[in-house]
Amino acid sequence: MSINKKIGQRILTLRKAQNLSQEALAHKSDVDRTYMTGVETGKRNVTVRVLDRIICGLGENFTTFFNDKEFEDEK
């Protein structure tokens, strides 16, 4: 799985766990909802700056965001 898809899946999982709509998270992250759709589906190559805003919008930080089995090395 590509890193874009892994990031998108992690965002989707965290967003749903918080019962946030895509629109609500996009608003909290200061990004367009259609852009958020592209990020969650792995179709957008999100910049570190935008990813930081999304992670903050989820109430997370980079360490907790990437400390997930989704990002473990595939062997």
Side-chain angles (χ1 to χ4, degrees), residues 6-37:
K6 289 178 182 182
I7 289 170
Q9 184 60 50
R10 180 74 170 135
I11 291 168
L12 176 67
T13 300
L14 291 170
R15 177 177 65 76
K16 286 190 172 187
Q18 296 179 27
N19 292 315
L20 286 173
S21 67
Q22 259 187 1
E23 187 171 359
L25 179 56
H27 180 74
K28 288 175 78 168
S29 306
D30 195 28
V31 298
D32 189 84
R33 189 206 48 82
T34 58
Y35 184 86
M36 185 65 70
T37 300

Side-chain angles (χ1 to χ4, degrees), residues 2 6 20 22 24 27 31 34 39 41-42 45-46 51 53 58 65 69-70 73:
S2 75
K6 289 178 182 182
L20 286 173
Q22 259 187 1
H27 180 74
V31 298
T34 58
V39 171
T41 59
N45 190 14
V46 64
L51 182 58
R53 292 198 321 247
L58 289 164
F65 182 83
K69 67 179 183 210
E70 188 73 43
D73 289 336

